[in-house]
Amino acid sequence: MKRSQRNRKRRNGNYREDYDRDGADGPRREEAVHRDKAQKHFLRHMKKKLALTFLLVALVLIGLSVAVGFIGKEKGEEYGQRVLAQQTVSSGTIPFRRGEITDRNGTVLATNEPVYNLILDPSVIGSGENVKGPTLDLLVECYGYDRAELEKLMTDQPNSRYIRYALWMSEEERDRFLARETEINDNLEIKDKIDGVWFETEYKRIYPYSTLACDLIGFSSKDGVSGSYGLEQYYNDRLAGISGRTYQYINEDSEAEQVIRDAVDGQTIVSTIDVNLQTIVEEQIRKFNEEIGSKNTAVVVMNPNNGEVLAMASYPYFDLNDPSDLTVSGYYTEEAVAAMSEQERKDALAGLWANYVTQSLYEPGSTAKPLTIAAGLEEGKLAESNTYYCDGGWDYAEGKRISCHRLSGHGELDLEGAIVESCNDALIQIGQQIGKEVFCKYQPIFGLGSRTGIDLPGEENGILKKEEDMSEIDLVTNSFGQNFDATVIQMAAAHCSLINGGHYYTPHVVKEIRNPDGSVAETMDKTLVRETISESTSEFLKKAMTAMVDEQRPWSTAIPGYEIGGKTGTAEKLPRKDRKYVVSFTSFLPASDPEYFMMVVIDEPNVEDQSTGGHATNLTRSLWEAIIPYLNLFPTRDTGETPDGEASPETPAETANQTNGENPGNGEGPASGENPAGGEDPVGNGDPAGGETAAGNEEPGNGEEPANGENPVGGETPSGEAPPDGEDGAYSNGIFQGDFE
């Protein structure tokens, strides 16, 4: 018998014995069999479930492994930062240093000074009486704080770890506390301990020269993040750096660790400005406004051969370290400021901060006459040998006349004489000769009507007449600089192209940009935009404008031994009836090969008759007299006298020419009908720059107010008096006579 059969019988025998003992064999046996089958079925089912569960867990673990591997490879750094952020106990900012602004020679015009914020940590200060008491006592001792206020702060915010209690302390104030803290904490004989106080470093923007070049530099916010106006605004992205961070966190070993991300400092802007030249310019502007005064006085000095701006200034000025102070320049009194409304104060500040050279429009007047002549020469519409007869004005309708500043007329003038005498009548004829097509073609070529591209914010475009909208009267008035608007920098850039051989360079005020380590990041080379005129036209204009300065009387710009070229300008402001003027003068030297160009613009000089007196001419002479020695420019003429011999080094030209009210050059007084200053009126009855004066306020045919000097009341003087009998030798108070339609 097989073993399995014997075992089965043995088991059956045992069951039978059990059943016999219990006295019930059938039911007991069935129950045991059923239980045995149930157990076997349960075991088989559990094995299947366990196998399935194991398989699922394995699949999940494999999937997680793959996902973790992918995350670690593709986004490990990002998630690492998130984990770091979740574990951070505290963090702080490391401020960047805003880039400096310097002049062309490295003199610092804008820099940074470290300042310190006092930080309190109440959770540490309140950790024990041996800390709280001494720490608060020391704060009171060093800074005079209110002890009760400090106690209340500790009570109200006991768990705070960061309270900026005082801002922008000096290094001396910081060190005062730190020295006493060290002294107390190092004293082992006492239990007192100073803790929970620390200092956070920031940088304060400072301007060492206060008001110098304020229009050009602009100013920045206290934190150095953003700039307003000037270079601070235009180059803000280069000047501003990137703040750093410090992170304190708990690592896997529950220990505090710190991660530091260093700040990136801003770049340094090296400007084209010469700080000494800028100082000279501003000093002369200040003197002028102390003696005479104006609504605004602006000067720009440039290198005509590359577009670099060497000095740029205007009055009134402001303090870069406190730009909201309206009283610095004396233009506004404290009483006037106190009486201002909030809106009036905002408007005054906006006007003060704006750069007159780039952001103000004006009618240029006679400084535009060389541009008109240049256009005609370039297009072959004019020749140097052309002559024009000035009879004192131009009649464009019955009883309607546009007058020259010399009512008796200049007689016959050649092209050079038209510039020297600043003759309106000759320019009218020249404008008609070249036509509006050529005239309108060359205004944009000279950069008028559009931004020059100077690297300063808020530059204005200018306003010109389109060819299709230009009437005959528009062409006539535009030809001698009236009835269109430009900016000072536009006129300066245009004149630079006239005298440098016809090359129009973009004006710029930055020479290079340097990295924080001093290496050069970018160099701003000269940018040639276009050619405006030929070399021959440029040579003619330099000669004509040099003759204009040499023959000026009585307010002469001529300086013995030096060749200076230039052109006057007078612009009457709207509304014409108010008789408010902007007078200007452009000049350059050495005239034969210009190295320096200067433009002076005076907006509303504080005199009764703003159109007379040679104010721009006189200021120009004072500037050159101060600038020439600094630049170490040597004389370019053999004689110490001007060509006609009126002036000497000991006797300034303006003094020699005004002795006893006579004109020493020809023996005739200013009232004799001669033109003593190339169109300037020495007796206060006319226009120092070509007669562009007026009291007129009637509308011209194009619907605009009359141009500078439009006097539609029959040639009457401002007081209503008729001009001198016969008009010979009289000076017009307005260029438009008769009703202007």
Side-chain angles (χ1 to χ4, degrees):
M1 182 181 295
K2 294 181 180 180
R3 182 178 299 177
S4 59
Q5 293 177 334
R6 288 197 299 269
N7 291 339
R8 187 163 52 249
K9 288 183 176 181
R10 188 179 296 115
R11 288 198 300 270
N12 292 337
N14 292 338
Y15 290 144
R16 189 176 295 111
E17 291 176 358
D18 291 337
Y19 298 156
D20 291 343
R21 283 196 301 268
D22 294 339
D25 57 347
R28 301 274 302 180
R29 180 181 177 185
E30 291 178 2
E31 181 180 353
V33 172
H34 179 73
R35 185 169 60 246
D36 187 51
K37 290 181 178 181
Q39 288 175 347
K40 291 179 180 179
H41 176 74
F42 175 76
L43 290 173
R44 286 195 300 271
H45 180 69
M46 286 301 297
K47 288 179 180 179
K48 291 180 180 179
K49 289 185 69 176
L50 287 172
L52 180 61
T53 301
F54 177 80
L55 179 61
L56 291 174
V57 170
L59 290 173
V60 169
L61 290 175
I62 292 172
L64 287 174
S65 299
V66 172
V68 169
F70 175 78
I71 291 173
K73 180 179 180 180
E74 300 294 331
K75 297 186 176 182
E77 184 177 354
E78 177 184 344
Y79 282 97
Q81 291 177 350
R82 291 187 182 183
V83 171
L84 180 63
Q86 292 172 354
Q87 291 181 333
T88 297
V89 174
S90 63
S91 65
T93 300
I94 302 175
F96 63 81
R97 291 177 65 97
R98 188 172 178 86
E100 293 184 332
I101 299 175
T102 74
D103 85 331
R104 64 189 302 110
N105 300 311
T107 302
V108 175
L109 302 175
T111 187
N112 310 283
E113 181 179 86
V115 290
Y116 306 92
N117 301 327
L118 175 64
I119 310 301
L120 301 182
D121 185 345
S123 66
V124 173
I125 295 175
S127 61
E129 281 303 318
N130 67 316
V131 174
K132 179 180 178 181
T135 300
L136 298 187
D137 287 343
L138 185 57
L139 288 170
V140 173
E141 174 188 330
C142 289
Y143 305 123
Y145 295 148
D146 187 321
R147 175 62 183 260
E149 180 181 299
L150 292 172
E151 291 277 6
K152 185 175 185 302
L153 187 64
M154 299 301 110
T155 302
D156 293 344
Q157 303 182 54
N159 298 318
S160 176
R161 299 186 63 88
Y162 182 88
I163 297 176
R164 300 177 79 184
Y165 194 73
L167 304 179
W168 284 25
M169 286 185 166
S170 66
E171 185 176 3
E172 180 184 356
E173 290 173 315
R174 181 201 64 171
D175 291 347
R176 187 190 314 161
F177 182 92
L178 294 179
R180 289 285 291 129
E181 178 185 34
T182 301
E183 180 183 344
I184 293 172
N185 288 347
D186 288 351
N187 190 344
L188 301 178
E189 297 181 0
I190 60 176
K191 296 181 179 181
D192 293 345
K193 184 179 181 182
I194 309 300
D195 203 359
V197 177
W198 50 285
F199 295 87
E200 179 183 72
T201 303
E202 286 189 352
Y203 293 99
K204 173 185 177 182
R205 194 66 161 171
I206 61 170
Y207 303 91
Y209 290 90
S210 185
T211 62
L212 190 74
C214 56
D215 287 339
L216 184 134
I217 296 173
F219 51 91
S220 76
S221 58
K222 288 185 175 181
D223 58 7
V225 172
S226 61
S228 299
Y229 298 89
L231 294 173
E232 291 278 27
Q233 178 177 333
Y234 193 90
Y235 286 98
N236 185 68
D237 291 344
R238 312 297 291 267
L239 289 164
I242 302 173
S243 296
R245 300 284 296 180
T246 60
Y247 301 92
Q248 290 182 343
Y249 66 97
I250 303 300
N251 64 17
E252 59 185 6
D253 297 325
S254 298
E255 296 175 344
E257 289 193 5
Q258 186 177 58
V259 173
I260 299 177
R261 297 183 182 273
D262 293 330
V264 178
D265 294 336
Q267 295 175 307
T268 292
I269 302 298
V270 180
S271 73
T272 59
I273 298 301
D274 183 320
V275 71
N276 295 314
L277 194 59
Q278 182 76 23
T279 301
I280 291 171
V281 167
E282 295 195 17
E283 177 64 17
Q284 292 301 320
I285 291 176
R286 183 188 63 78
K287 287 182 178 179
F288 171 81
N289 280 280
E290 287 177 351
E291 296 170 2
I292 296 176
S294 66
K295 183 177 181 180
N296 205 312
T297 305
V299 175
V300 57
V301 181
M302 297 177 63
N303 181 340
N305 301 307
N306 59 17
E308 287 185 349
V309 175
L310 305 177
M312 179 186 290
S314 68
Y315 171 91
Y317 50 82
F318 60 94
D319 186 350
L320 291 168
N321 293 307
D322 187 9
S324 296
D325 186 354
L326 285 166
T327 65
V328 171
S329 67
Y331 187 80
Y332 295 101
T333 64
E334 292 184 1
E335 292 76 15
V337 173
M340 289 180 180
S341 65
E342 185 62 27
Q343 187 58 49
E344 287 173 335
R345 178 178 171 80
K346 289 181 179 179
D347 292 343
L349 285 172
L352 189 66
W353 296 336
N355 189 333
Y356 186 87
V357 174
T358 61
Q359 295 179 277
S360 294
L361 296 177
Y362 78 111
E363 293 179 64
S366 291
T367 55
K369 290 176 180 176
L371 304 179
T372 302
I373 293 174
L377 287 171
E378 283 303 299
E379 291 295 311
K381 300 286 186 177
L382 305 177
E384 295 181 26
S385 58
N386 288 159
T387 59
Y388 305 90
Y389 187 81
C390 171
D391 63 359
W394 175 66
D395 298 314
Y396 61 95
E398 185 177 354
K400 298 174 183 178
R401 183 176 178 82
I402 297 179
S403 299
C404 188
H405 61 86
R406 183 178 179 187
L407 299 182
S408 62
H410 290 103
E412 189 172 285
L413 297 171
D414 60 11
L415 210 55
E416 179 179 307
I419 291 178
V420 172
E421 298 295 341
S422 196
C423 178
N424 288 347
D425 194 355
L427 263 293
I428 290 172
Q429 297 172 57
I430 290 170
Q432 293 173 322
Q433 186 175 349
I434 68 175
K436 63 180 181 180
E437 181 181 355
V438 169
F439 185 85
C440 292
K441 172 186 175 182
Y442 272 82
Q443 279 191 309
I445 289 176
F446 289 126
L448 304 182
S450 61
R451 298 182 180 93
T452 64
I454 190 171
D455 44 349
L456 289 172
E459 184 184 5
E460 287 286 351
N461 280 300
I463 303 173
L464 304 180
K465 277 285 183 183
K466 295 180 180 179
E467 181 184 346
E468 57 268 25
D469 299 328
M470 181 173 282
S471 67
E472 182 181 18
I473 295 299
D474 290 328
L475 176 60
V476 164
T477 56
N478 277 207
S479 67
F480 52 82
Q482 301 181 169
N483 273 348
F484 70 87
D485 293 318
T487 63
V488 175
I489 195 63
Q490 284 176 355
M491 293 301 296
H495 269 261
C496 283
S497 79
L498 293 183
I499 64 175
N500 69 10
H503 314 299
Y504 187 97
Y505 295 107
T506 300
H508 60 284
V509 294
V510 169
K511 186 177 181 181
E512 63 184 20
I513 299 176
R514 294 178 180 171
N515 293 316
D517 62 4
S519 61
V520 176
E522 185 177 355
T523 299
M524 278 60 174
D525 294 321
K526 63 182 180 181
T527 302
L528 177 62
V529 180
R530 57 185 165 268
E531 301 292 338
T532 58
I533 59 174
S534 63
E535 186 73 35
S536 60
T537 299
S538 177
E539 289 298 321
F540 167 77
L541 292 172
K542 287 189 291 184
K543 180 174 66 125
M545 287 190 277
T546 303
M548 193 268 177
V549 171
D550 288 340
E551 297 181 28
Q552 276 183 313
R553 300 178 188 86
W555 301 290
S556 177
T557 313
I559 297 176
Y562 291 89
E563 291 178 289
I564 299 178
K567 185 69 192 75
T568 53
T570 301
E572 188 173 20
K573 301 174 66 175
L574 293 170
R576 312 296 186 193
K577 60 184 177 62
D578 290 348
R579 298 188 62 76
K580 302 293 186 183
Y581 291 85
V582 179
V583 295
S584 58
F585 195 88
T586 65
S587 57
F588 52 92
L589 67 77
S592 57
D593 186 17
E595 296 178 21
Y596 299 95
F597 169 85
M598 183 196 301
M599 187 161 192
V600 172
V601 179
I602 303 173
D603 185 1
E604 298 186 23
N606 293 337
V607 293
E608 185 175 352
D609 189 347
Q610 296 178 358
S611 67
T612 64
H615 305 299
T617 308
N618 290 341
L619 179 54
T620 298
R621 179 186 172 91
S622 297
L623 282 161
W624 282 127
E625 287 178 333
I627 290 172
I628 286 173
Y630 167 68
L631 296 176
N632 199 28
L633 298 177
F634 295 99
T636 54
R637 284 176 169 163
D638 294 335
T639 176
E641 299 179 336
T642 55
D644 51 9
E646 280 109 31
S648 66
E650 294 78 23
T651 306
E654 65 269 31
T655 303
N657 290 341
Q658 295 184 70
T659 306
N660 299 322
E662 296 181 349
N663 181 348
N666 56 20
E668 295 178 342
S672 66
E674 296 296 325
N675 175 9
E680 298 183 19
D681 174 15
V683 296
N685 295 324
D687 173 19
E692 297 149 28
T693 65
N697 60 359
E698 296 193 15
E699 297 289 320
N702 60 13
E704 297 182 359
E705 273 203 64
N708 307 349
E710 300 166 13
N711 180 7
V713 292
E716 293 183 349
T717 60
S719 63
E721 298 178 0
D725 294 338
E727 296 186 346
D728 189 19
Y731 285 79
S732 169
N733 288 289
I735 62 170
F736 284 87
Q737 299 184 4
D739 295 331
F740 191 83
E741 297 178 353

